[in-house]
């Protein structure tokens, strides 16, 4: 389907553009490259962890991998929302630029100090194995400190039944909200103290900056997603890619009220400075118009 994709897009119904931007390298980038050649315009492509992972599974002379390299070599602009992907691309000689996803500002978010009698930990994710939500449940269950804890899980997916069984054995309250509206998600973020999501891989993870914007102290995995977008252990906590490291990071935020509030405050400041849509669009236009 990648090889034949150029024959299926409706050329006659598309209006000519100054820049064609592909959301993925394959097959979007291949189609964009052909459109740009047809129209005599520039084309841009966004590279995601999924693109890099797929290509890593192919041998060097696989037709799709050769197409992938051709797209990257001919693109006028190569972007990625992942700093780890940027490093891979630059190591391969591709000039790539960091371009994050954006979020809309929040008109009013309470930043008052919460009642420390209960620490609310939030997870927002598709309930899939690579999100490692079982780590969050186990880490809270193994916490030996004095804080009163509550866990709220927002999302649905194949791991729901397994996670519910785990939660039934816990001696702290766990609420599963399932699939809910964005307004409910944002309300839960505003009510939470910590948003913890130790995913094994994330291209960017919009949920991290949405939570940071709403004054959550956020725990993410080092080397994935938003790692490199926030100052580690000051604006966001990045845990090692193992369960023990995650426990240490999460428990540190639970126990240290001052540290937790500082991370939340600085993470919100960074999000408002660099990741609101206005800043992201300005960066995009600056890069595209610079060449």
């Amino acid at each position: 389907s990648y090889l034949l994709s150029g024959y299926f897009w409706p050329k006659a119904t598309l209006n000519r553009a100054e820049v064609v931007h592909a959301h993925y390298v394959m097959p979007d980038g291949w189609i964009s490259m052909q459109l740009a050649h047809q129209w005599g315009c520039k084309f841009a492509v966004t590279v995601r962890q999924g693109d890099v992972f797929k290509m890593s599974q192919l041998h060097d002379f696989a037709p799709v991998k050769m197409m992938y390299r051709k797209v990257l070599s001919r693109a006028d602009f190569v972007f990625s929302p992942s700093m780890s992907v940027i490093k891979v691309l630059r190591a391969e000689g591709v000039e790539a630029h960091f371009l994050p996803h954006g979020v809309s500002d929040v008109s009013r978010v309470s930043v008052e100090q919460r009642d420390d009698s209960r620490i609310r930990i939030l997870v927002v994710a598709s309930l899939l194995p690579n999100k490692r939500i079982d780590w969050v449940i186990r880490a809270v269950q193994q916490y030996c400190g004095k804080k009163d804890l509550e866990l709220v899980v927002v999302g649905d997916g194949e791991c729901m039944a397994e996670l519910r069984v785990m939660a039934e054995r816990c001696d702290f309250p766990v609420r599963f909200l399932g699939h809910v509206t964005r307004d409910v998600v944002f309300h839960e973020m505003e009510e939470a103290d910590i948003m913890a999501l130790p995913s094994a891989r994330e291209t960017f993870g919009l949920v991290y900056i949405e939570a940071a914007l709403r004054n959550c102290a956020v725990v993410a995995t080092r080397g994935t997603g938003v790692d490199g977008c926030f100052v580690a252990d000051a604006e966001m906590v990045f845990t090692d890619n193992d369960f023990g490291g995650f426990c240490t990071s999460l428990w540190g935020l639970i126990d240290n009220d001052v540290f937790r509030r500082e991370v939340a405050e600085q993470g919100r400041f960074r999000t408002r400075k660099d990741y609101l849509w206005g800043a992201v669009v300005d960066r995009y236009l600056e890069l595209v118009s610079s060449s």
Side-chain angles (χ1 to χ4, degrees):
S1 63
Y2 285 177
L3 293 170
L4 297 175
S5 60
Y7 295 101
F8 296 108
W9 38 269
K11 301 179 187 179
T13 62
L14 292 171
N15 296 319
R16 181 188 169 108
E18 294 180 17
V19 178
V20 184
H21 191 142
H23 196 55
Y24 294 90
V25 183
M26 297 296 295
D28 309 37
W30 186 255
I31 297 171
S32 296
M33 184 178 70
Q34 295 175 72
L35 277 173
H37 176 73
Q38 176 186 339
W39 292 342
C41 67
K42 298 177 180 179
F43 85 97
V45 62
T46 295
V47 186
R48 302 172 181 280
Q49 278 194 335
D51 294 311
V52 173
F53 176 75
K54 276 194 228 178
M55 294 306 120
S56 71
Q57 307 303 300
L58 302 175
H59 62 78
D60 286 345
F61 298 103
V64 172
K65 193 164 188 175
M66 295 175 71
M67 294 168 71
Y68 168 88
R69 287 174 173 163
K70 187 173 183 179
V71 169
L72 294 184
S73 67
R74 294 195 176 183
D76 296 284
F77 313 100
V78 177
F79 301 112
S80 180
S82 168
M83 292 303 297
S84 61
V85 171
I86 293 287
K87 291 177 183 177
V88 170
L89 294 173
R90 289 177 178 172
E92 295 176 352
V94 177
E95 184 182 357
H97 304 280
F98 174 64
L99 189 72
H101 295 301
V103 291
S104 298
D105 200 1
V106 182
S107 58
R108 277 194 316 179
V109 172
S110 174
V111 293
E112 296 177 1
Q113 294 185 356
R114 297 183 176 90
D115 181 2
D116 288 331
S117 63
R118 170 165 288 186
I119 302 298
R120 179 173 292 177
I121 302 161
L122 177 68
V123 176
V124 180
S126 298
L127 307 190
L128 302 173
N130 71 292
K131 301 296 183 179
R132 300 195 290 209
I133 299 162
D134 59 315
W135 282 22
V136 185
I137 297 175
R138 288 165 54 203
V140 178
Q141 177 65 12
Q142 293 177 24
Y143 172 71
C144 298
K146 299 179 179 179
K147 295 295 178 68
D148 182 19
L149 306 179
E150 177 186 16
L151 177 61
V152 179
V153 179
V154 176
D156 204 349
E158 64 184 73
C159 296
M160 173 67 89
E162 174 190 346
L163 295 173
R164 283 188 177 277
V165 171
M166 288 183 64
E168 288 173 0
R169 305 190 188 113
C170 294
D171 53 13
F172 61 92
V174 183
R175 293 193 291 122
F176 290 90
L177 302 188
H179 182 73
V180 296
T181 66
R182 289 178 63 81
D183 286 343
V184 174
V185 172
F186 295 155
H187 172 74
E188 292 298 327
M189 288 176 173
E190 291 171 9
E191 292 294 312
D193 298 279
I194 300 168
M195 207 289 288
L197 185 58
S199 298
R201 57 183 179 273
E202 291 279 357
T203 289
F204 184 68
L206 191 62
V207 67
Y208 296 111
I209 59 173
E210 288 175 335
L213 181 62
R214 289 163 176 83
N215 214 48
C216 287
V218 176
V219 184
T221 305
R222 188 170 289 117
T224 73
V226 293
D227 187 10
C229 304
F230 292 80
V231 177
D233 297 332
E235 301 170 346
M236 193 171 286
V237 173
F238 293 95
T239 175
D240 290 333
N241 197 17
D242 62 80
F243 178 66
F246 172 67
C247 287
T248 300
S249 298
L250 180 62
W251 295 345
L253 281 174
I254 292 170
D255 281 328
N256 192 327
D257 299 335
V258 173
F259 176 53
R260 184 177 66 252
R261 289 169 182 154
E262 287 178 348
V263 169
E265 180 181 344
Q266 293 303 313
R268 184 168 186 264
F269 178 81
R270 172 66 65 180
T271 301
R272 288 177 57 83
K273 178 177 179 291
D274 290 342
Y275 304 120
L276 297 183
W277 272 119
V280 173
V281 170
D282 286 346
R283 175 168 173 76
Y284 181 82
L285 293 175
E286 179 186 356
L287 289 169
V288 170
S289 61
S290 65
S291 174

